[in-house]
Amino acid sequence: MQPKVGLIGLGLMGSPMGRNLLKAGFPLTVWNRTRAKSEKLAAEGAAIAASPRDVAAASDVLITIVSDPPALEEILWGKEGALSALKKGSVYIDSSTVTPGLARRIAAACAERGADFLDAPVTGGTWGAEKGELVFMMGGEKEVLDRVEPVLQAVGKRFFLLGPNGAGQTVKLAMNMILALEVEALAEGLELVTRSGVPAERLIEVLQSSMGRAPVLDVKAPVIIKRDFTPSFPLRLMHKDMRLALELAKENGVELPAGAAAFAAYSAVKAAAQGDVDYAAIANYWRKN
Amino acid sequence: MQPKVGLIGLGLMGSPMGRNLLKAGFPLTVWNRTRAKSEKLAAEGAAIAASPRDVAAASDVLITIVSDPPALEEILWGKEGALSALKKGSVYIDSSTVTPGLARRIAAACAERGADFLDAPVTGGTWGAEKGELVFMMGGEKEVLDRVEPVLQAVGKRFFLLGPNGAGQTVKLAMNMILALEVEALAEGLELVTRSGVPAERLIEVLQSSMGRAPVLDVKAPVIIKRDFTPSFPLRLMHKDMRLALELAKENGVELPAGAAAFAAYSAVKAAAQGDVDYAAIANYWRKN
């Protein structure tokens, strides 16, 4: 029998994940802060629960994917929070990007209720979510991952088990810091050449046949050149992930000199941005936008 | 008839370039500050000149590749410098990494003597130099590049003509700043995960199937994990290139926040380094080495 799946958080990532779970035939119960998003999925077969608590009570496998630590804490420990209703023997998978410390606190709370926990932030963007090809960075027990893998196969294609609870979030924060710095490096390089009289396209041409080539730069270079910053991965979320990475670094006494400098630049662009922009808008750092 | 080629600077890059020019059948005259290196090439057929001036006097195509702007200025304008003997109608190609401003000064001096100039810094490392597969980033006239391309084919495989004199150096400085920042990002990510209790290998595993993957990181990740910093591209040269990039940025009023922060980190590692190390030794930033 198919396990009953619960899904909390129906944003840009959660909605297509829910759709893929329904397509794969899993009975699905959903909850979202804004009810309209739940209704879209209800039209495709999902049951709408009245609260996070009710989703947990109805689920063998609970998945959450929300924007930041406070949103997650509210869903878990807030009024009618999910944790208090988690079923014994169920598995809770959090795909939000939060701190490893929070992931470990959740794992402990799950253990008290006889449930298992996986921290499982994802990469692959909305495109990966829609295709069911997300990559999961996971912390937890192999045996628990094995139990839920049939469910996760509906939404993802690769599942990296990186260590005990917290390891998924640790690697995710480091990965996003690396991506943010790569795009920062590209933006700085482009600004340097254009302000020195060389067209941006000339640098891209050389970069693409160099050791520095990266898929993220192949994607973001034309975005920066066209200055069309329609969000694919919103700058506000990248900024939040960088903040969490720097908090984790501070907790562990690690200085991240370029990461900290890039964070300040992303902060300046975030403060000046009109509306929601992609993180490639870091290229606006040198403009009054 | 084969043009007579002159080569000044027989370091890690210049020596294999000279060898490839000889193999391709070009009559070659060389000069190097340390004579021993010239003698190795002489054993393979090169003529040794007594001074940079004598190399220029003997050459239709002159190539220089030395470590920094002062070394280049000495070779060109110093006692028995090359510029004063440059033949009318000859082509001078500088493959050192220097500033675009110096490249333009050299171009003007060449023009006064009726010679043409290409700024032509390279990438591809000693491996590319040995294989004759260097990539050239060039500034100058297309017609001049066409004339010397048969010579350059002996040492390189791609020739990017990026604009007027100075454009090659501009793109090279931006490219190396990007590479330095990419390796800095990797080092910071690795330090963050390991100090947070996750093995370095776990981050690499995820990075290699991510949008952040880059050939330079594939190469430097194992170097950092094994902590074997035998120089492939020496940190002291990357540090010099970053300094030149920041000088160019300052000249043009461009702030490079992450570049400046990474430069400070490279400076600290350079100051503490014992002997010559690869630039991946930026991972020593968090150690007393």
Side-chain angles (χ1 to χ4, degrees):
Chain A
M1 218 185 78
Q2 297 281 53
K4 291 175 194 155
V5 180
L7 178 61
I8 297 176
L10 302 175
L12 287 174
M13 301 296 284
S15 287
M17 287 169 78
R19 200 157 291 125
N20 284 320
L21 288 164
L22 287 170
K23 276 188 204 157
F26 293 103
L28 184 69
T29 304
V30 299
W31 184 85
N32 191 66
R33 205 173 38 184
T34 317
R35 192 183 159 96
K37 289 182 183 165
S38 301
E39 279 160 4
K40 279 196 178 175
L41 275 184
E44 298 175 46
I48 303 181
S51 67
R53 191 177 202 295
D54 290 353
V55 180
S59 305
D60 303 312
V61 176
L62 172 66
I63 302 173
T64 56
I65 180 159
V66 297
S67 60
D68 57 19
L72 184 60
E73 289 178 317
E74 176 63 25
I75 277 164
L76 296 180
W77 285 288
K79 194 166 160 281
E80 303 194 84
L83 275 183
S84 62
L86 218 50
K87 295 195 325 194
K88 194 169 174 162
S90 70
V91 177
Y92 168 33
I93 302 162
D94 175 43
S95 289
S96 316
T97 298
V98 299
T99 58
L102 178 53
R104 286 188 290 264
R105 268 174 62 213
I106 297 170
C110 288
E112 279 179 19
R113 294 204 50 93
D116 287 301
F117 177 67
L118 297 168
D119 51 301
V122 293
T123 185
T126 51
W127 186 89
E130 281 156 18
K131 293 271 177 189
E133 296 191 356
L134 292 171
V135 173
F136 284 76
M137 287 157 272
M138 310 182 83
E141 298 296 323
K142 173 83 169 68
E143 172 272 326
V144 178
L145 172 55
D146 288 345
R147 265 155 61 205
V148 296
E149 209 172 312
V151 174
L152 290 176
Q153 289 288 357
V155 291
K157 67 169 175 182
R158 294 201 66 173
F159 309 97
F160 289 101
L161 189 64
L162 302 160
N165 282 129
Q169 297 294 355
T170 299
V171 171
K172 171 68 192 267
L173 293 180
M175 272 302 308
N176 271 13
M177 187 56 105
I178 291 173
L179 290 169
L181 269 172
E182 287 181 343
V183 173
E184 173 76 32
L186 174 67
E188 292 190 12
L190 287 173
E191 193 68 16
L192 179 60
V193 300
T194 54
R195 295 275 287 276
S196 305
V198 176
E201 289 77 4
R202 297 290 82 73
L203 176 62
I204 301 307
E205 202 181 322
V206 175
L207 180 62
Q208 290 190 330
S209 57
S210 79
M211 298 281 286
R213 177 177 200 163
V216 68
L217 303 185
D218 290 347
V219 169
K220 299 303 183 190
V223 166
I224 292 175
I225 288 175
K226 287 180 210 150
R227 311 198 74 73
D228 172 4
F229 298 120
T230 310
S232 162
F233 183 53
L235 189 137
R236 67 184 158 77
L237 292 181
M238 181 58 100
H239 181 265
K240 180 263 300 183
D241 292 354
M242 295 172 86
R243 180 171 55 74
L244 297 181
L246 288 165
E247 283 174 16
L248 176 63
K250 197 172 174 188
E251 254 174 60
N252 292 310
V254 184
E255 191 199 351
L256 303 180
F263 178 65
Y266 278 86
S267 295
V269 173
K270 178 170 172 277
Q274 310 281 333
D276 215 6
V277 291
D278 190 72
Y279 75 101
I282 187 61
N284 278 338
Y285 179 71
W286 296 270
R287 279 150 196 79
K288 318 273 177 215
N289 77 316
Chain B
M1 218 187 76
Q2 297 283 53
K4 291 175 192 154
V5 179
L7 177 63
I8 297 176
L10 302 174
L12 287 173
M13 302 296 285
S15 287
M17 287 168 77
R19 200 158 292 123
N20 284 320
L21 288 163
L22 288 169
K23 275 189 205 157
F26 294 103
L28 184 70
T29 304
V30 300
W31 184 86
N32 191 67
R33 205 173 38 182
T34 318
R35 191 182 158 97
K37 289 183 183 163
S38 301
E39 279 159 4
K40 279 197 179 173
L41 275 184
E44 299 174 44
I48 303 182
S51 67
R53 191 177 202 296
D54 290 353
V55 180
S59 305
D60 303 311
V61 176
L62 171 66
I63 302 173
T64 58
I65 179 159
V66 297
S67 60
D68 58 19
L72 184 61
E73 288 177 317
E74 176 63 25
I75 276 163
L76 296 179
W77 285 287
K79 194 167 161 279
E80 304 194 81
L83 275 183
S84 62
L86 219 50
K87 296 196 324 196
K88 194 170 173 162
S90 70
V91 177
Y92 167 34
I93 302 163
D94 175 43
S95 289
S96 316
T97 298
V98 298
T99 58
L102 178 52
R104 286 187 290 262
R105 269 175 61 213
I106 297 170
C110 288
E112 279 178 20
R113 293 205 51 91
D116 288 300
F117 176 66
L118 296 168
D119 51 302
V122 292
T123 184
T126 51
W127 187 91
E130 281 156 18
K131 293 271 175 187
E133 296 193 357
L134 292 170
V135 172
F136 284 75
M137 286 156 272
M138 311 183 82
E141 298 295 324
K142 172 83 170 67
E143 172 274 325
V144 178
L145 171 56
D146 289 345
R147 265 154 62 205
V148 295
E149 206 169 318
V151 174
L152 290 177
Q153 289 288 357
V155 291
K157 68 168 175 182
R158 294 201 64 174
F159 309 98
F160 290 101
L161 189 64
L162 301 161
N165 282 129
Q169 297 295 353
T170 299
V171 171
K172 171 70 193 265
L173 294 180
M175 271 302 308
N176 271 13
M177 187 55 105
I178 290 172
L179 289 170
L181 269 173
E182 286 181 343
V183 174
E184 173 75 30
L186 174 67
E188 293 191 11
L190 288 174
E191 193 67 15
L192 179 60
V193 300
T194 54
R195 296 274 287 278
S196 306
V198 175
E201 289 77 4
R202 296 291 83 73
L203 176 62
I204 302 307
E205 201 181 321
V206 175
L207 181 61
Q208 290 191 330
S209 57
S210 80
M211 298 282 287
R213 178 175 201 164
V216 68
L217 302 186
D218 290 347
V219 169
K220 299 304 184 190
V223 165
I224 292 176
I225 287 175
K226 287 180 210 148
R227 310 198 74 73
D228 172 4
F229 298 120
T230 311
S232 162
F233 183 54
L235 190 137
R236 67 184 157 79
L237 291 181
M238 181 58 100
H239 181 265
K240 180 263 300 183
D241 292 354
M242 294 172 86
R243 179 172 55 75
L244 298 181
L246 288 165
E247 283 173 17
L248 176 62
K250 196 175 174 186
E251 256 174 62
N252 292 311
V254 184
E255 192 199 350
L256 303 180
F263 178 65
Y266 278 85
S267 294
V269 173
K270 179 171 172 275
Q274 311 282 332
D276 217 4
V277 292
D278 190 72
Y279 75 101
I282 187 62
N284 279 339
Y285 180 70
W286 295 270
R287 279 150 196 78
K288 317 272 176 218
N289 74 321

